[in-house]
Amino acid sequence: MANKNDWNEWKGLSEAEVAERRVRYGANALPVPKHRLLGLILRQFRGIFNLMLLIAAGVTFSLGEPIDGAFILLFVFLGTALNVYQEHKSNQAADKLKAYLLSTITVVRDGQEKEVPTDSLVPGDILKLESGDIVPADAIVRQDRDLLVDETTFTGESIPVTKRASSSSATAADKDTDTVATDEELLLQGVVIVRGNVLAEVTAIGQETKLAHIASTASTVQAESELVKSVDKISNFIMKVTLLTLAFVVVANILIEGSQADVTDLLIFAIALAVSAIPEALPLVLTFSLSRGALEFAKHDVIVKRLSAVQDLGSVNLLCTDKTGTITENHLVFSNVYLMAGSPYDPLVLARLSAINLHDRIPEPFDHASDEALTPEQRQIVDRYSLVQEEAFDPALRSNGAFVKQADGKTLHIRRGSPEYFFGEGQISRDAVADWLEAEEEKGHRVLGVSYDDGSGAHFGGFVSFVDRIKDSTIATVAAAKQMNVAITVITGDALKVAEAIGREAGLVTESAEVTEAAAFLALSLAERKKRLSSIRVFARTTPEQKLEVIQLLKEQFTVGYLGEGINDAPALKAAHVSMVVQSAADVARETADIVLLQNDLRVIIEGIRFGRETHANTMKYIRATLISNFGNFYAVAIGSLFISFLPMLPKQLLLLNLLSDFPMMAIAFDRVSAQEVERPQRYDLHSLYIIFVTMGLVSTVFDFICFGLFYRISPAVLQTNWFIASVLTEILLMFSIRSLLPITKAGWPAPSIVVLSVIAMVLAVSLPMIPATAAFFEFQTPTLAHLGIIFGIASAYLVVTELVKRPLSGFVRKR
């Protein structure tokens, strides 16, 4: 196919060629994740916690304890099922948003125009595109008329750019390969035709497009969930301590009892003891907490695709975002004019006349703003004119124009463009307008110059400035973020002065040192970058490639949340700890993100951070309570077994103890959270956690030994029963104490569900040994009233001591 100058001479591919290429290249479709539901299920076992529970269940079954094993599997199944259900439903909701690519497009085949599905395109197809179309594949411009395109999804810039026809005569059809072309000659899949018409030849489809390559790059950038990493660390610690202790207990018992040791019973006891130390309800508590957060998000039109992102959001202490549409309204508004003395025309009227056929196409931001700003009198003036000829945007001169005429035939030639164009033409000197221009730039305004020629030569008509105003909610949102100790950093493609002005207006920037061009920052030495990184609030003139590099640097010092929407945001989204996109984001960005916002509003994100911190606070309550109580009993039972000839608590009793104590603890996911707990970024301070659970665990062990000393001489059944009841009561009281590091009288009322379930668990703990059937099954002996009085006394004393020991520990945690 030779190069054509006449649009009508383009014949396109034949149907036979299309069929052959379709077999060779496949469908024009982005890669779709396969077996996503299976992937969600497998992801639940990425951490070691559920795997550890499954191993414990397997060993328990193999030792002939099916009821005990079933309890463990029940917790694993419920947690996993709820997690998978929530994430699968979220992904289905996100899928419904996919309307990015057109379903059909006009092509030229066999010399005729046809409407074909976009997924049936092949390299070499000739696309016929016009204003409003979305380019369905990578293509090279062959013929164009007044062509402007919006590449926001790739560059982040909202200003349309010019494209021109390729000067190369070689085509994809001739060479059967992609044609090398400049950026000005290429149309990438996903860009929007803003103005004009174009014939473009498809050069790449499906997985060979730049869009797909970016998706592939994103898939290689991995960001681990902070929640998963922290739970894995806790799990590793629990597993190491448990295995070491059990090994010691088993060996010591064998050495003490010698040949009389019942190894089988000892192993069953060890397994039950191990299970009692593992907080097996943690996955379920996490799921309840995260699901509650996801439901709160849903009320604010937010779709959570990765459930753990709810809590990860709470740990965010740096939120990175573009300014357009989040900080600002993404809507240019007329701001000011520079009038030329003696000019008969208002610069705003001239700017509007330069795009007089505004309503026949998608308006450029400048055109739309000019039209909105006209007064009734100015609009009457504009209405007197009609278009004669429109001049396309010249990228070299950075200007465009139009010939317009009045009813009497009087013609006016208008040019508009950057200030530099008019300086170069000699129509106005830079010095004459330097102060005005500098003042507008410092305010973050965009400036257009206009000139007119009414037959007597070109005359400079003045300047018009426009502003993309910050949202009404921005200042309050920035202030709310500061209250929660969340820094906001703007990463934008805009010019330095414009970005700085917006940053100052939003309350993000107080001095120029907090603003930098990305290229200049990345050119610094590594030491200097690390030194300045935390103080930078705005990165200007940032390319898509630089976004990823900046995010990766920020991750070294911060927990980063990133809000993007463009195709080239995908790698940066994948790299961030928590990734968010708006509803209108490109498919690749939306597929990559953890959270989809149906409203482009920073307030939703800041509110989401608060939800995340509440979720984290409630999760920590459970972890603290269960580790302290479980390990307190764990050490007491393990050590106690060395001094008596019988097991201090039977395996089935240990598992029942764990079940009853976890019963109310699972409701802690819905507990109330104080304002102090959401003031700072939440994270798992494992060192403080270990100090708390070791110290408080020793208190629990001491009270277990008090109970042991009071009852072990009476009989094995009496010790086992009374110790069981005391353990349930003390664990539940511990939960009420440790749910806040404040004194229990100042911690506020717990959620009603916690109180109700706690009462039920306590009643069951006392009742089960008194009911003949359950007492026989669990081998309990009915406690006497005197013994119950002693047990209640021990539990009350335990609560008092716990509160006393907690106070110095809470001060230690706050200092960290």
Side-chain angles (χ1 to χ4, degrees):
M1 184 185 296
N3 191 32
K4 306 294 189 301
N5 295 316
D6 188 339
W7 284 49
N8 295 325
E9 291 183 16
W10 288 89
K11 303 300 181 184
L13 299 175
S14 67
E15 289 297 337
E17 289 176 306
V18 170
E20 185 271 329
R21 291 176 184 232
R22 192 172 296 147
V23 172
R24 185 189 310 178
Y25 296 105
N28 177 37
L30 293 175
V32 177
K34 296 180 179 179
H35 312 300
R36 189 160 61 179
L37 181 58
L38 178 61
L40 284 179
I41 295 171
L42 293 177
R43 192 164 76 190
Q44 311 310 314
F45 299 95
R46 184 177 297 170
I48 67 167
F49 201 88
N50 275 332
L51 291 176
M52 188 165 64
L53 290 176
L54 290 179
I55 292 170
V59 175
T60 305
F61 276 117
S62 68
L63 292 174
E65 294 292 331
I67 295 176
D68 304 340
F71 274 139
I72 303 172
L73 289 181
L74 177 64
F75 281 119
V76 175
F77 173 76
L78 285 176
T80 301
L82 286 172
N83 240 342
V84 170
Y85 175 78
Q86 177 68 42
E87 295 193 19
H88 183 60
K89 294 294 287 185
S90 296
N91 277 321
Q92 284 183 324
D95 289 342
K96 291 178 182 178
L97 298 175
K98 289 185 176 180
Y100 196 80
L101 299 178
L102 292 176
S103 58
T104 62
I105 202 71
T106 303
V107 299
V108 179
R109 288 178 180 170
D110 287 323
Q112 296 181 338
E113 293 182 12
K114 298 181 179 180
E115 283 287 318
V116 301
T118 54
D119 61 4
S120 69
L121 295 175
V122 296
D125 259 329
I126 302 299
L127 304 173
K128 187 174 183 181
L129 307 171
E130 58 186 21
S131 177
D133 285 344
I134 300 173
V135 180
D138 288 356
I140 186 169
V141 178
R142 289 306 180 192
Q143 294 287 316
D144 73 283
R145 293 174 182 162
D146 195 21
L147 182 61
L148 275 181
V149 302
D150 180 355
E151 294 185 324
T152 302
T153 51
F154 279 94
T155 65
E157 291 280 5
S158 59
I159 305 303
V161 297
T162 303
K163 295 290 182 178
R164 60 181 177 82
S166 172
S167 58
S168 171
S169 61
T171 71
D174 292 332
K175 297 165 59 178
D176 216 17
T177 59
D178 289 353
T179 305
V180 177
T182 65
D183 287 342
E184 289 184 346
E185 298 167 347
L186 287 177
L187 295 175
L188 298 178
Q189 181 183 21
V191 306
V192 182
I193 306 299
V194 173
R195 186 177 73 190
N197 305 84
V198 60
L199 287 180
E201 183 178 5
V202 174
T203 58
I205 64 169
Q207 299 189 34
E208 298 304 315
T209 63
K210 186 172 182 180
L211 182 83
H213 288 162
I214 292 170
S216 176
T217 301
S219 67
T220 63
V221 181
Q222 296 296 331
E224 275 191 278
S225 164
E226 290 296 297
L227 174 62
V228 172
K229 288 192 291 185
S230 299
V231 171
D232 278 356
K233 287 179 181 178
I234 293 172
S235 303
N236 277 316
F237 177 80
I238 292 171
M239 187 167 61
K240 289 175 183 177
V241 172
T242 302
L243 291 178
L244 285 173
T245 305
L246 289 180
F248 170 77
V249 169
V250 171
V251 171
N253 269 281
I254 292 174
L255 291 176
I256 292 171
E257 297 183 21
S259 60
Q260 296 183 358
D262 188 332
V263 177
T264 301
D265 282 349
L266 195 56
L267 286 176
I268 293 173
F269 170 72
I271 292 296
L273 199 56
V275 172
S276 73
I278 297 171
E280 69 271 11
L282 178 57
L284 203 55
V285 170
L286 284 174
T287 300
F288 284 152
S289 296
L290 299 175
S291 295
R292 175 176 174 268
L295 288 173
E296 289 293 334
F297 272 93
K299 292 177 184 177
H300 293 77
D301 291 333
V302 177
I303 296 173
V304 179
K305 293 177 59 187
R306 176 172 62 84
L307 205 55
S308 60
V310 173
Q311 188 166 328
D312 286 344
L313 196 56
S315 65
V316 166
N317 55 9
L318 177 66
L319 177 61
C320 296
T321 177
D322 191 4
K323 72 173 186 62
T324 305
T326 50
I327 302 294
T328 66
E329 294 178 341
N330 194 21
H331 177 73
L332 287 181
V333 177
F334 166 73
S335 176
N336 197 7
V337 293
Y338 180 89
L339 299 168
M340 288 299 294
S343 172
Y345 299 101
D346 187 290
L348 181 60
V349 172
L350 293 174
R352 177 64 183 82
L353 286 172
S354 65
I356 196 168
N357 65 334
L358 177 69
H359 303 295
D360 295 334
R361 56 180 169 81
I362 297 176
E364 294 181 43
F366 291 120
D367 301 338
H368 193 66
S370 300
D371 185 66
E372 287 183 334
L374 292 177
T375 65
E377 294 77 14
Q378 290 171 329
R379 194 171 297 281
Q380 288 179 358
I381 296 172
V382 171
D383 289 342
R384 296 174 194 163
Y385 290 87
S386 59
L387 179 67
V388 176
Q389 182 183 345
E390 194 168 24
E391 297 174 316
F393 182 80
D394 187 328
L397 299 176
R398 297 189 63 78
S399 69
N400 68 318
F403 287 90
V404 297
K405 69 176 181 180
Q406 297 189 68
D408 61 6
K410 183 178 179 181
T411 302
L412 193 64
H413 180 207
I414 303 167
R415 294 291 296 181
R416 74 169 186 188
S418 67
E420 286 71 22
Y421 167 73
F422 298 99
F423 299 150
E425 291 290 303
Q427 296 182 18
I428 185 75
S429 70
R430 182 185 291 272
D431 292 341
V433 294
D435 291 343
W436 188 88
L437 279 177
E438 185 175 350
E440 292 299 306
E441 287 179 350
E442 286 178 353
K443 295 175 185 175
H445 296 177
R446 297 174 183 268
V447 177
L448 280 180
V450 287
S451 68
Y452 62 94
D453 184 348
D454 54 8
S456 61
H459 304 280
F460 182 64
F463 289 117
V464 188
S465 71
F466 302 88
V467 59
D468 185 4
R469 291 174 178 164
I470 68 169
K471 289 185 173 183
D472 293 337
S473 60
T474 294
I475 294 176
T477 301
V478 170
K482 286 180 179 178
Q483 269 191 330
M484 296 177 65
N485 294 284
V486 177
I488 298 176
T489 294
V490 173
I491 303 177
T492 179
D494 276 338
L496 187 70
K497 284 191 175 181
V498 173
E500 180 178 346
I502 296 297
R504 287 181 182 275
E505 189 178 358
L508 294 172
V509 174
T510 56
E511 54 185 51
S512 297
E514 295 174 310
V515 183
T516 183
E517 289 190 349
F521 176 79
L522 294 173
L524 298 173
S525 66
L526 182 60
E528 188 65 22
R529 271 182 280 170
K530 289 184 176 181
K531 181 180 177 182
R532 290 196 59 195
L533 191 61
S534 61
S535 64
I536 302 298
R537 295 278 68 84
V538 177
F539 289 93
R541 288 295 186 206
T542 312
T543 67
E545 293 76 18
Q546 290 167 342
K547 281 183 182 179
L548 175 59
E549 193 169 353
V550 168
I551 292 296
Q552 288 175 328
L553 281 170
L554 290 169
K555 282 178 63 182
E556 296 178 8
Q557 297 185 23
F558 302 96
T559 302
V560 178
Y562 181 67
L563 175 63
E565 64 174 335
I567 293 166
N568 268 330
D569 283 328
L573 286 165
K574 194 69 176 285
H577 292 107
V578 183
S579 54
M580 296 155 281
V581 297
V582 293
Q583 177 183 355
S584 59
D587 276 353
V588 172
R590 197 161 55 234
E591 190 70 41
T592 302
D594 303 318
I595 296 171
V596 180
L597 309 178
L598 302 188
Q599 299 177 27
N600 195 355
D601 195 337
L602 275 182
R603 285 182 302 180
V604 177
I605 301 174
I606 301 303
E607 191 69 7
I609 291 174
R610 184 177 68 81
F611 293 151
R613 292 182 182 180
E614 288 181 358
T615 301
H616 179 275
N618 284 337
T619 304
M620 284 303 299
K621 293 174 186 179
Y622 172 79
I623 291 175
R624 286 197 300 262
T626 193
L627 286 184
I628 292 169
S629 57
N630 284 8
F631 272 89
N633 281 338
F634 174 78
Y635 281 117
V637 175
I639 296 170
S641 69
L642 301 177
F643 298 100
I644 55 178
S645 59
F646 57 89
L647 296 180
M649 201 177 296
L650 299 177
K652 62 180 70 176
Q653 294 169 350
L654 277 170
L655 291 168
L656 179 63
L657 161 65
N658 229 26
L659 180 63
L660 287 180
S661 59
D662 274 335
F663 185 48
M665 281 189 190
M666 286 187 287
I668 212 164
F670 307 99
D671 196 15
R672 298 184 176 109
V673 177
S674 66
Q676 297 96 318
E677 291 176 291
V678 296
E679 282 181 353
R680 295 195 170 275
Q682 301 296 307
R683 61 191 64 210
Y684 288 92
D685 183 354
L686 300 181
H687 183 70
S688 296
L689 183 63
Y690 298 154
I691 294 294
I692 289 173
F693 107 73
V694 168
T695 306
M696 302 288 281
L698 287 175
V699 173
S700 180
T701 301
V702 168
F703 273 86
D704 279 330
F705 278 135
I706 291 173
C707 193
F708 176 83
L710 290 171
F711 299 117
Y712 89 96
R713 287 191 179 90
I714 301 173
S715 73
V718 169
L719 172 62
Q720 292 161 353
T721 302
N722 291 345
W723 201 351
F724 166 80
I725 297 172
S727 296
V728 173
L729 298 182
T730 53
E731 287 192 26
I732 291 174
L733 291 176
L734 172 68
M735 177 188 65
F736 282 98
S737 173
I738 208 67
R739 60 179 284 270
S740 173
L741 293 178
L742 295 171
I744 195 169
T745 54
K746 297 180 180 179
W749 282 98
S753 58
I754 296 177
V755 176
V756 171
L757 292 177
S758 296
V759 171
I760 292 173
M762 287 180 170
V763 170
L764 286 174
V766 176
S767 301
L768 290 176
M770 295 183 175
I771 300 171
T774 52
F777 178 80
F778 288 105
E779 299 182 43
F780 288 134
Q781 181 167 318
T782 303
T784 65
L785 289 177
H787 287 173
L788 285 176
I790 293 172
I791 291 169
F792 284 123
I794 291 173
S796 301
Y798 175 71
L799 177 62
V800 173
V801 174
T802 297
E803 282 293 303
L804 293 174
V805 174
K806 184 181 72 174
R807 294 185 182 184
L809 288 176
S810 64
F812 168 77
V813 172
R814 280 196 293 271
K815 287 179 183 178
R816 287 185 61 84

